[in-house]
Amino acid sequence: MSSSKGVACAEGAAFSMVLTWPPGRILVAWDQGGVYAVRFLAPGEGAEMSGASEPPGGGLGPRIRDALARFQESGDWSGVAELPRKQSAASEFTSGVWAQISRIPCGSRQSYGEIAQALGRPGASRAVGRACGANPIPILVPCHRVVAADGGLGGFSGGLHWKRWLLEREA
């Protein structure tokens, strides 16, 4: 289930949709440059978007909805991986973390320490965790694939129930 709503912004038209998945609801926001935000909503949040319409001509909305629906239904990551992304400004380290996370294959996991090591910053696993928490487009930049060194889930911006569900979906 989803709905979308056009939102005016200084750089042009921006749009968003709310999707309802088994662990909860997410808000996905995009403009002509790509998806720039994915947010996990609290119960009842986003209800005002119900019944809103698509932008004229559809734009990215149908593509986003289809890709995320395929992932939700079958774990098929291919459409999500191909969605255009508009990453926000971040430090060189944080951008490097997001790029490294984006290379983790669907169904795989890497530890916070392995990400730090790959970036030439051994011992920066906590900083990797903070970069994951600052990720404005979780699911698209799949920080749910980053786990603790002992195999535990670690943390996740949407809560551990979301992380567990996303990992199970990809298995």
Side-chain angles (χ1 to χ4, degrees):
M1 174 183 201
S2 66
S3 61
S4 62
K5 178 179 183 178
V7 181
C9 71
E11 298 170 7
F15 303 94
S16 60
M17 71 176 72
V18 173
L19 301 169
T20 302
W21 284 4
R25 294 163 45 102
I26 58 171
L27 173 85
V28 181
W30 72 95
D31 62 19
Q32 71 274 7
V35 177
Y36 62 84
V38 174
R39 216 179 88 210
F40 302 94
L41 301 176
E45 189 180 7
E48 70 281 359
M49 298 184 72
S50 179
S53 63
E54 287 289 337
L60 279 175
R63 186 172 162 199
I64 293 166
R65 180 179 290 112
D66 291 347
L68 291 172
R70 278 194 317 273
F71 175 70
Q72 177 196 358
E73 292 164 8
S74 67
D76 178 0
W77 183 256
S78 61
V80 176
E82 295 170 6
L83 288 173
R85 300 159 188 188
K86 190 173 180 181
Q87 199 73 51
S88 62
S91 71
E92 184 178 335
F93 178 79
T94 297
S95 293
V97 168
W98 295 340
Q100 187 68 28
I101 290 168
S102 294
R103 290 191 279 278
I104 302 171
C106 182
S108 297
R109 300 175 188 186
Q110 269 190 338
S111 73
Y112 297 97
E114 289 171 323
I115 299 285
Q117 185 71 36
L119 294 171
R121 300 271 309 269
S125 55
R126 288 182 189 260
V128 169
R130 284 190 296 277
C132 287
N135 175 8
I137 50 175
I139 301 175
L140 275 71
V141 172
C143 50
H144 59 277
R145 296 179 187 157
V146 183
V147 296
D150 65 3
L153 291 179
F156 189 63
S157 60
L160 293 182
H161 68 290
W162 267 103
K163 187 170 189 170
R164 191 174 297 107
W165 185 84
L166 291 163
L167 291 170
E168 288 170 0
R169 200 84 215 109
E170 292 183 353

